[in-house]
Amino acid sequence: MYKYFIFILCFVYWSVQINGQTILTPFERSNGKQTATYDEIIDFYKQLSNKFSSVQIMQDAPLSADAQYPLSTVIFNGKHLGNDTVVTILINNGIHAGEPDGIDACMMLMRDAATGKVKIPDNIVLVVIPVFNIGGVLNRTNYSRANQAGPESYGFRGNWQNLDLNRDFIKLDAPETHSLESIFHIFKTDIFIDNHVSDGADYQHIMTLLATQHDKLGGETGAFMNDVFVPLVYKDMKKRGYDLVPYVNDFRTTPDNGWTEFYDPPRFSSGYAALSHIMAFVPETHMLKPFDQRVKATYELMCSFINIASVHAKEIKSARKNDIKTTLGQLEFPLSWKVDTSKFAMINFKGYEAGYKASNVSGMLRLYYDHKKPFTKQVPFYNYFVPDKMVTAPQYYVIQQGWKEVISRLSVNHVKFVQMQNDTTITLSVYRIEKYETQNHPYEKHYQHYNVSVTKHTETIHLIKGDYLIPTQQEAKRYLVETLEPTGPDGFFAWNFFDAILQEKEYYSDYVFEDVAAQMLEKNADLRKLLDDQKLKDTVFAKDGRAQLDFVYRHSPYYEPEHMRYPIFRID
Ligand SMILES: [Zn+2]
């Protein structure tokens, strides 16, 4: 074991020296066939940071990961951090560790930036997460990406808890995602890039680009991204030899008649970034293209982002600043969006003709793409979305201190609180959960709720010292509304954080409560009328003695107010 360790050290030393001080990556040493292991990645960046003062590697708390290895962040031009005119680009790699293209591309990019081969302008701070899903990268395999052309071996999609980290940005089940959200805020990210490899249809493009949905990003930033930034990236990448196409979001049919843009709610990294008015991109290289081509395309795309961001730094900074300010005055917020099929962009799609032939497995017809029949044509891309469900933001949300899991997630997102100094009783706006449905199967460790409907009323609530008042007049306003409103499809209620309120804790014995209920009806004419009206409205109810007794119980002071009462209150 010791001898083996010495050999490894010598090999690293040799590889540095033999190339005249150029530190080569495992990708380069294998002629584009291999991706770096976790140890190789970290060793490489440590060597870079030892050799070049422009590169810093950070492995400090709170940057922890679930596999007991620190989550690392590598920074270029770090000395310019905090400067108001500087654009911070955060690049995340290996969130799906079986899709390692960005890992190897960024190793070369950071080295080339350090040696000056690639010029990173002074108004760009580059923050790279060398590998995000550390548990996944350590779980190396040759098979988990059945339809991917290399590398020779690679990590697994799930982390140590078998979570898909790119669904974790609201629920935050994984410590890695907690860390990444801290990184977003610590570095005041302006542009976020999350490198992936696609699945799905076959076509000629090596690189596809998913931009966060521009209407949903909204404001000046959404318009700038869609009208200026993305077209410039397409133009620049064409010059670099890559025809981009939007992420081919079509998994049921062939894409030759166009497709609808991928809708990225905040559970995804790009949708999460959009909550903070950050331009976000998910490059998806095509899985059937050889690994070396995919990595080179990713490298060029990162360079393209850097150059265009540098030229347009002023517009990027000003758009985001204005959007944060505008959002403070915004009253109505969309919680969900739907595609507007009346509008679309036409895009240049380079595909392959699809056909059907008999399957050698089942004998049934199967799809295939004919590489001898490439085509280029204009297809519609439905990339306009309109708000679906709207909600009005309150002045404050009020949350009792017992909901610690929610409070900790707000803290990660730099939400500002005021804690009550004394016990008090106060009238607040309160939601009651009237109806909801729950998924039958777990999705990323949760049985999500959907189709949630609520009623709203005012109620006197007793708060105690230490409970939280959360003003919505803060930078995190959109995050607060989308996570704390109970009807939000990606809110904390949907993700099961408040399931305890859905179950009654106390109840009654029928034979005892019969007499209490009868007395109540005798003394309370309004309650009697309510019961009689319900019997007239509902004939099944009119014949159900048990249901009627329960109706009286639920309209009596004995019924616990906490049941179905959404525990985040509002000051409107
Ligand atoms: Zn992926």
Side-chain angles (χ1 to χ4, degrees), residues 150-289:
E152 286 170 359
S153 62
Y154 40 78
F156 180 59
R157 185 181 187 89
N159 75 340
W160 238 216
Q161 298 178 63
N162 212 23
L163 290 169
D164 184 332
L165 296 179
N166 201 22
R167 310 288 185 271
D168 196 43
F169 283 79
I170 295 299
K171 61 189 177 70
L172 289 184
D173 285 327
E176 297 93 321
T177 327
H178 278 257
S179 304
L180 182 51
E181 293 193 2
S182 293
I183 291 167
F184 260 96
H185 295 286
I186 289 167
F187 290 106
K188 299 191 185 309
T189 305
D190 296 296
I191 297 177
F192 174 68
I193 303 163
D194 193 12
N195 283 315
H196 287 248
V197 182
S198 76
D199 289 306
D202 196 5
Y203 41 79
Q204 300 172 54
H205 302 270
I206 297 172
M207 176 61 81
T208 73
L209 182 60
L210 189 163
T212 192
Q213 208 292 312
H214 65 94
D215 296 305
K216 184 162 71 67
L217 174 60
E220 290 183 28
T221 310
F224 174 78
M225 182 187 78
N226 193 53
D227 301 340
V228 180
F229 195 85
V230 168
L232 284 173
V233 173
Y234 272 63
K235 204 171 153 192
D236 186 55
M237 282 297 281
K238 196 173 179 65
K239 275 193 219 154
R240 293 169 187 266
Y242 297 93
D243 268 321
L244 293 186
V245 72
Y247 174 61
V248 183
N249 179 37
D250 195 336
F251 294 91
R252 290 191 190 142
T253 57
T254 55
D256 40 353
N257 291 316
W259 59 90
T260 298
E261 183 176 34
F262 183 80
Y263 171 70
D264 58 336
R267 73 186 63 175
F268 294 102
S269 64
S270 57
Y272 167 77
L275 294 180
S276 301
H277 317 282
I278 293 169
M279 287 200 290
F281 301 95
V282 181
E284 295 257 6
T285 55
H286 188 240
M287 80 285 189
L288 294 177
K289 304 297 180 286

Side-chain angles (χ1 to χ4, degrees), residues 95-155:
I95 191 169
H96 294 149
E99 306 168 18
D101 304 11
I103 293 174
D104 300 282
C106 281
M107 289 166 77
M108 295 189 291
L109 175 66
M110 202 51 104
R111 177 202 59 206
D112 293 347
T115 59
K117 185 180 168 194
V118 166
K119 173 85 183 130
I120 309 271
D122 280 350
N123 64 351
I124 298 290
V125 171
L126 190 61
V127 181
V128 168
I129 296 170
V131 50
F132 178 54
N133 179 0
I134 294 172
V137 137
L138 294 170
N139 187 6
R140 208 163 161 105
T141 166
N142 300 40
Y143 298 106
S144 67
R145 296 283 295 173
N147 302 324
Q148 188 170 290
E152 286 170 359
S153 62
Y154 40 78

Side-chain angles (χ1 to χ4, degrees), residues 405 409 507:
E405 289 191 328
R409 281 154 181 79
Y507 214 45

Side-chain angles (χ1 to χ4, degrees), residues 6-71:
I6 294 287
F7 169 77
I8 295 284
L9 278 180
C10 290
F11 180 74
V12 169
Y13 180 74
W14 171 80
S15 71
V16 172
Q17 294 301 308
I18 199 79
N19 295 290
Q21 301 300 308
T22 301
I23 311 170
L24 291 182
T25 65
F27 170 82
E28 291 164 311
R29 293 202 305 265
S30 65
N31 288 324
K33 291 193 166 36
Q34 291 172 4
T35 183
T37 63
Y38 175 77
D39 289 336
E40 286 169 334
I41 297 165
I42 300 306
D43 283 348
F44 179 85
Y45 281 113
K46 282 185 175 166
Q47 286 183 60
L48 276 190
S49 70
N50 287 338
K51 199 167 168 192
F52 300 99
S53 61
S54 52
V55 178
Q56 295 157 266
I57 181 164
M58 283 175 59
Q59 296 186 299
D60 306 331
L63 314 181
S64 61
D66 73 345
Q68 294 301 312
Y69 287 82
L71 185 64

